[in-house]
Amino acid sequence: MSSASGTGPDLRPGTGYELPLRMLMAFRLVIDEVHRELARKGHPNLRPLHGFVFQAIGPHGTTAAELGQRLGVSKQAAGKTVETLERLGYVERGTDPADARRKIVRLTARGADSLARSSAAFDRIRARWADDLGADRLRALEEDLRRLTPEDFFRLDVPGWFGTA
């Protein structure tokens, strides 16, 4: 996978692994830009993993064990992430109204604000890409990716899959 010079991956057009590497680079560019904007708008401690955590928590909250399952990580790893996000003010733990023995993790107003700002940043980036590529080409790219990927495209277990949480 390294180039002839040995300094990095061989990204010559048409090499088999160029496509996934380019998709990963595009993903990384978008995520890094969103996080720079979040940092400027009062959320400097958020990391890409946290977006997956917020989505896995969902609008009604979840337990640490369920969170770990959704993310594909251990209950302990999920609990450690929850502790960090709780300390930063993005989540809170409370009692489940249906079962007082269960502790539910929920987003705080600060967590919801970060999601709203992320969504707006993603929309701005997409609009800029439409300007750069042309709206028709971007729509075609999105449609092609929809054809090539499963219907349930949003996999929350990416942190566990990467082995980073």
Side-chain angles (χ1 to χ4, degrees), residues 80-116:
K80 184 177 177 184
T81 301
V82 167
E83 286 175 17
T84 298
L85 290 170
E86 190 174 33
R87 195 170 43 254
L88 294 171
Y90 290 99
V91 302
E92 61 189 4
R93 293 182 224 213
T95 305
D96 183 345
D99 183 350
R101 297 168 296 174
R102 289 176 23 122
K103 296 293 181 196
I104 298 292
V105 179
R106 292 184 183 84
L107 293 177
T108 62
R110 182 169 171 77
D113 178 70
S114 72
L115 284 177

Coordinates of all heavy atoms in Angstrom, one line a residue, residues 80-116:
K80 N -17.0 5.3 30.9 CA -15.9 6.3 30.9 C -16.2 7.5 30.0 O -15.9 8.7 30.4 CB -14.6 5.6 30.5 CG -13.4 6.5 30.6 CD -12.1 5.8 30.3 CE -10.9 6.7 30.4 NZ -9.7 6.1 29.9
T81 N -16.7 7.2 28.8 CA -17.0 8.3 27.9 C -18.2 9.2 28.5 O -18.1 10.4 28.5 CB -17.4 7.8 26.6 OG1 -16.3 7.0 26.0 CG2 -17.8 8.9 25.6
V82 N -19.2 8.5 29.1 CA -20.3 9.2 29.8 C -19.7 10.1 30.9 O -20.1 11.3 31.0 CB -21.3 8.3 30.3 CG1 -22.3 9.0 31.2 CG2 -22.1 7.6 29.1
E83 N -18.8 9.6 31.7 CA -18.2 10.4 32.8 C -17.6 11.7 32.2 O -17.7 12.8 32.8 CB -17.2 9.6 33.6 CG -17.8 8.6 34.5 CD -16.7 7.7 35.1 OE1 -15.5 8.0 35.1 OE2 -17.1 6.6 35.6
T84 N -16.8 11.5 31.1 CA -16.1 12.7 30.5 C -17.2 13.7 30.0 O -17.0 14.9 30.3 CB -15.3 12.2 29.4 OG1 -14.2 11.3 29.9 CG2 -14.6 13.4 28.6
L85 N -18.2 13.2 29.3 CA -19.2 14.1 28.8 C -20.0 14.7 29.9 O -20.5 15.9 29.7 CB -20.1 13.3 27.7 CG -19.3 13.0 26.5 CD1 -20.2 12.0 25.6 CD2 -19.0 14.2 25.7
E86 N -20.2 14.0 30.9 CA -21.0 14.6 32.1 C -20.2 15.7 32.7 O -20.7 16.8 33.0 CB -21.3 13.5 33.1 CG -22.2 13.9 34.2 CD -22.6 12.7 35.1 OE1 -21.7 11.8 35.3 OE2 -23.7 12.7 35.6
R87 N -18.9 15.5 32.9 CA -18.0 16.5 33.5 C -18.0 17.7 32.6 O -17.9 18.9 33.1 CB -16.6 15.9 33.6 CG -15.7 16.7 34.5 CD -14.3 15.9 34.8 NE -13.7 15.3 33.7 CZ -13.7 13.9 33.5 NH1 -14.3 13.1 34.3 NH2 -13.1 13.4 32.4
L88 N -18.1 17.6 31.2 CA -18.0 18.7 30.3 C -19.4 19.4 30.1 O -19.5 20.4 29.5 CB -17.5 18.2 28.9 CG -16.1 17.8 28.9 CD1 -15.8 17.1 27.6 CD2 -15.1 18.9 29.2
G89 N -20.4 18.7 30.7 CA -21.8 19.3 30.7 C -22.6 19.0 29.5 O -23.7 19.6 29.3
Y90 N -22.3 17.9 28.8 CA -23.0 17.5 27.6 C -24.1 16.5 27.9 O -25.0 16.3 27.1 CB -22.1 17.0 26.5 CG -21.2 18.1 25.9 CD1 -19.9 18.3 26.4 CD2 -21.8 18.9 25.0 CE1 -19.2 19.3 25.8 CE2 -21.0 20.0 24.4 CZ -19.7 20.1 24.9 OH -19.0 21.2 24.4
V91 N -23.9 15.7 28.9 CA -24.9 14.7 29.3 C -25.1 14.7 30.8 O -24.3 15.3 31.6 CB -24.5 13.2 28.9 CG1 -24.2 13.1 27.4 CG2 -23.3 12.8 29.7
E92 N -26.2 14.1 31.2 CA -26.5 14.0 32.6 C -27.1 12.6 32.9 O -27.7 12.0 31.9 CB -27.5 15.1 33.1 CG -28.9 15.0 32.4 CD -29.7 16.2 32.6 OE1 -29.3 17.2 33.3 OE2 -30.9 16.2 32.2
R93 N -27.0 12.1 34.0 CA -27.5 10.8 34.4 C -28.7 11.1 35.3 O -28.7 11.9 36.2 CB -26.5 10.0 35.1 CG -25.4 9.6 34.3 CD -24.5 8.7 35.1 NE -23.1 9.0 34.8 CZ -22.1 8.2 34.8 NH1 -22.3 6.9 35.0 NH2 -20.9 8.6 34.6
G94 N -29.8 10.4 35.1 CA -30.9 10.5 35.9 C -31.6 9.1 36.1 O -31.2 8.1 35.5
T95 N -32.6 9.1 36.9 CA -33.4 7.9 37.1 C -34.4 7.7 36.0 O -35.0 8.6 35.5 CB -34.1 8.0 38.5 OG1 -33.2 8.3 39.5 CG2 -34.8 6.7 38.8
D96 N -34.5 6.4 35.6 CA -35.5 6.0 34.6 C -36.9 6.1 35.2 O -37.1 5.5 36.3 CB -35.2 4.6 34.1 CG -36.2 4.1 33.0 OD1 -37.2 4.8 32.8 OD2 -35.8 3.1 32.4
P97 N -37.8 6.9 34.7 CA -39.1 7.1 35.3 C -39.9 5.7 35.3 O -40.7 5.5 36.2 CB -39.9 8.0 34.4 CG -38.9 8.6 33.4 CD -37.6 7.8 33.5
A98 N -39.6 4.8 34.4 CA -40.2 3.5 34.4 C -39.6 2.5 35.3 O -40.3 1.5 35.7 CB -40.2 3.0 33.0
D99 N -38.4 2.7 35.8 CA -37.7 1.8 36.7 C -36.6 2.5 37.5 O -35.6 2.8 36.9 CB -37.1 0.7 35.8 CG -36.4 -0.4 36.7 OD1 -36.2 -0.2 37.9 OD2 -36.0 -1.4 36.1
A100 N -36.9 2.8 38.7 CA -36.0 3.7 39.5 C -34.7 3.0 39.7 O -33.7 3.7 40.1 CB -36.7 3.9 40.9
R101 N -34.5 1.7 39.5 CA -33.2 1.1 39.6 C -32.3 1.4 38.5 O -31.1 1.3 38.6 CB -33.4 -0.4 39.7 CG -34.2 -0.8 41.0 CD -34.6 -2.3 40.9 NE -35.4 -2.4 39.7 CZ -35.9 -3.6 39.2 NH1 -35.5 -4.7 39.8 NH2 -36.7 -3.6 38.2
R102 N -32.8 1.8 37.3 CA -32.0 2.1 36.1 C -31.6 3.6 36.1 O -32.4 4.5 36.3 CB -32.8 1.8 34.9 CG -33.0 0.3 34.7 CD -33.8 0.0 33.4 NE -33.9 1.0 32.4 CZ -33.6 0.7 31.1 NH1 -33.1 -0.4 30.7 NH2 -33.7 1.7 30.2
K103 N -30.3 3.8 35.7 CA -29.8 5.1 35.5 C -29.8 5.4 34.0 O -29.3 4.6 33.2 CB -28.4 5.3 36.0 CG -28.3 5.2 37.5 CD -29.0 6.3 38.2 CE -28.9 6.2 39.7 NZ -29.9 7.0 40.4
I104 N -30.4 6.5 33.6 CA -30.5 6.9 32.1 C -29.6 8.0 31.9 O -29.6 9.0 32.6 CB -32.0 7.2 31.8 CG1 -32.9 6.1 32.0 CG2 -32.1 7.8 30.4 CD1 -32.7 4.9 31.1
V105 N -28.9 7.9 30.8 CA -28.0 9.0 30.3 C -28.8 9.8 29.3 O -29.4 9.2 28.4 CB -26.7 8.5 29.7 CG1 -25.8 9.6 29.2 CG2 -26.0 7.6 30.6
R106 N -28.9 11.1 29.5 CA -29.6 12.0 28.6 C -28.7 13.2 28.2 O -27.8 13.6 28.9 CB -30.8 12.6 29.2 CG -31.9 11.5 29.5 CD -33.2 12.2 30.1 NE -34.2 11.2 30.4 CZ -34.2 10.5 31.5 NH1 -33.3 10.7 32.5 NH2 -35.2 9.7 31.7
L107 N -29.0 13.7 27.0 CA -28.3 15.0 26.6 C -28.8 16.1 27.4 O -30.0 16.2 27.7 CB -28.5 15.2 25.1 CG -27.9 14.3 24.1 CD1 -28.3 14.7 22.7 CD2 -26.4 14.2 24.2
T108 N -27.9 17.0 27.7 CA -28.3 18.3 28.3 C -28.6 19.3 27.2 O -28.4 19.0 26.0 CB -27.1 18.8 29.2 OG1 -26.0 19.1 28.4 CG2 -26.7 17.9 30.3
A109 N -28.9 20.5 27.6 CA -29.1 21.6 26.7 C -27.8 21.9 25.9 O -27.9 22.1 24.7 CB -29.7 22.8 27.4
R110 N -26.7 21.8 26.6 CA -25.4 22.0 25.9 C -25.2 20.9 24.9 O -24.6 21.2 23.8 CB -24.3 22.0 27.0 CG -22.9 22.2 26.5 CD -21.9 22.5 27.6 NE -20.6 22.5 27.2 CZ -20.0 23.5 26.6 NH1 -20.7 24.6 26.3 NH2 -18.7 23.5 26.3
G111 N -25.5 19.6 25.2 CA -25.4 18.5 24.2 C -26.3 18.8 23.0 O -25.8 18.6 21.9
A112 N -27.5 19.2 23.3 CA -28.4 19.4 22.2 C -27.9 20.6 21.3 O -28.0 20.6 20.1 CB -29.8 19.7 22.7
D113 N -27.4 21.6 22.0 CA -26.8 22.8 21.2 C -25.7 22.3 20.3 O -25.6 22.8 19.2 CB -26.3 23.8 22.2 CG -25.7 25.0 21.5 OD1 -26.4 25.8 20.8 OD2 -24.4 25.2 21.6
S114 N -24.8 21.5 20.8 CA -23.7 21.0 20.0 C -24.2 20.2 18.7 O -23.7 20.4 17.6 CB -22.7 20.2 20.8 OG -23.2 18.9 21.1
L115 N -25.3 19.4 18.9 CA -25.9 18.7 17.8 C -26.5 19.7 16.8 O -26.3 19.5 15.6 CB -26.9 17.7 18.3 CG -26.4 16.4 18.9 CD1 -27.6 15.6 19.4 CD2 -25.5 15.7 17.9
A116 N -27.2 20.7 17.2 CA -27.8 21.7 16.3 C -26.7 22.4 15.5 O -26.8 22.6 14.3 CB -28.6 22.7 17.1

